[in-house]
């Protein structure tokens, strides 16, 4: 079974430029998460999708960040414009949780963003 | 919100040694997971363990939900065990709250 796929693995951009990250979850997983991990810290949730619906985006900085999961499968996270403080690792995870109960979250390899 | 504290923050071991990592959390949880983040940044699931005890090879974990702590045991450590170990909890459903991690270095 393939794991969570993310691309690109690394991205270097200049500040004020746009950037996008892509995630394909594990097949059959209806819940998808985007996390942000700053250096030396644990990941923090940005947004959670159940199928195509964003059910928790309270930590997403909506002035510059946006996300979509149009068909309830893969997802894109965008930053426009990027700031120096956005340099971090962006992690995608998925689980088969839906409608209650708990389930294991599986993480992709992440995209390491450097904003110059 | 819920607080997750991991100890020790840093740990240095000689290959073959055993260790215990601890995770304390401040409220009841529905989900608790242990992860290993390897030097390349990949978060690897170790255990899904909101309560009880599990073992997988040289690793085992115990969560005492009523006392709000979990322990991760590593026996006969190997250099490949190096990295950061995270405990993450979900007080409700799905939103994992991560601790700051325990950074483990295993020397040959």
């Amino acid at each position: 079974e393939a794991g969570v796929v993310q691309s690109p693995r690394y991205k270097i951009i200049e500040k004020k430029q746009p950037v996008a990250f892509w995630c394909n979850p594990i097949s059959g997983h209806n819940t998808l998460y985007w996390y942000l991990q700053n250096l030396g810290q644990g990941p923090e949730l940005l947004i959670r999708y159940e199928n195509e619906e964003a059910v928790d985006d309270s930590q997403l900085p909506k002035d510059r960040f946006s996300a979509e999961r149009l068909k309830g499968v893969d997802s894109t996270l965008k930053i426009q414009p990027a700031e120096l403080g956005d340099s971090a690792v962006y992690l995608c995870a998925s689980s088969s949780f839906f409608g209650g109960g708990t389930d294991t979250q599986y993480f992709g390899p992440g995209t390491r963003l450097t904003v110059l | 919100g819920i607080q997750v504290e991991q100890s020790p923050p840093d740990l240095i071991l000689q290959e073959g040694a055993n260790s215990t990592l601890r995770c304390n959390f401040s409220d009841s949880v529905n989900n608790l997971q242990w992860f290993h983040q390897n030097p390349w940044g990949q978060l690897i699931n170790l255990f899904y363990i909101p309560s009880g005890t599990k073992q997988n090879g040289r690793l085992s974990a115990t969560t005492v939900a009523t006392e709000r702590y979990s322990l991760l045991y590593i026996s006969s450590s190997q250099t490949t065990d190096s990295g950061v170990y995270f405990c993450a909890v979900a007080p409700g459903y799905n939103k994992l709250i991560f601790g700051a991690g325990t950074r483990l270095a295993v020397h040959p």
Side-chain angles (χ1 to χ4, degrees):
Chain A
E1 178 181 273
V4 177
V5 178
Q6 291 188 247
S7 68
R9 291 294 313 278
Y10 304 91
K11 189 72 176 179
I12 300 174
I13 61 172
E14 294 188 347
K15 63 181 180 181
K16 300 185 181 180
Q17 294 299 306
V19 65
F21 315 123
W22 178 80
C23 171
N24 194 42
I26 292 172
S27 178
H29 281 196
N30 46 25
T31 307
L32 183 147
Y33 317 76
W34 284 102
Y35 286 85
L36 166 70
Q37 185 175 22
N38 287 307
L39 187 64
Q41 300 180 20
E44 298 177 352
L45 182 71
L46 288 173
I47 189 168
R48 171 169 66 93
Y49 283 93
E50 288 183 6
N51 296 311
E52 64 275 8
E53 182 181 1
V55 295
D56 184 355
D57 63 356
S58 57
Q59 302 302 310
L60 189 72
K62 298 181 184 63
D63 57 337
R64 297 183 300 107
F65 286 65
S66 64
E68 61 182 13
R69 193 185 185 199
L70 294 176
K71 296 183 179 180
V73 180
D74 59 343
S75 175
T76 302
L77 177 69
K78 299 178 181 177
I79 308 175
Q80 182 170 10
E83 298 179 351
L84 294 177
D86 297 331
S87 295
V89 176
Y90 292 82
L91 294 162
C92 180
S94 70
S95 74
S96 57
F97 167 85
F98 185 78
T102 62
D103 211 336
T104 304
Q105 293 187 29
Y106 297 89
F107 282 77
T111 296
R112 184 176 298 276
L113 174 67
T114 301
V115 182
L116 302 176
Chain B
I2 193 169
Q3 303 296 312
V4 182
E5 295 183 354
Q6 292 187 243
S7 59
D10 297 280
L11 186 59
I12 299 174
L13 299 175
Q14 286 296 122
E15 203 167 24
N18 302 327
S19 62
T20 301
L21 282 58
R22 186 176 180 102
C23 172
N24 293 331
F25 44 96
S26 60
D27 205 345
S28 59
V29 298
N30 292 300
N31 182 357
L32 188 148
Q33 292 183 233
W34 282 98
F35 296 90
H36 174 215
Q37 190 163 42
N38 65 23
W40 295 270
Q42 175 74 56
L43 272 169
I44 300 165
N45 277 299
L46 298 177
F47 295 102
Y48 168 78
I49 188 166
S51 63
T53 297
K54 291 185 177 179
Q55 181 162 4
N56 184 4
R58 296 182 295 104
L59 302 181
S60 64
T62 295
T63 297
V64 183
T66 54
E67 298 187 18
R68 299 180 183 167
Y69 73 89
S70 183
L71 302 174
L72 178 68
Y73 306 95
I74 305 174
S75 64
S76 303
S77 58
Q78 300 175 358
T79 56
T80 52
D81 294 331
S82 296
V84 183
Y85 289 81
F86 286 105
C87 169
V89 304
Y93 294 103
N94 287 319
K95 179 178 179 178
L96 282 177
I97 308 297
F98 283 75
T102 291
R103 286 151 190 79
L104 173 64
V106 181
H107 296 310

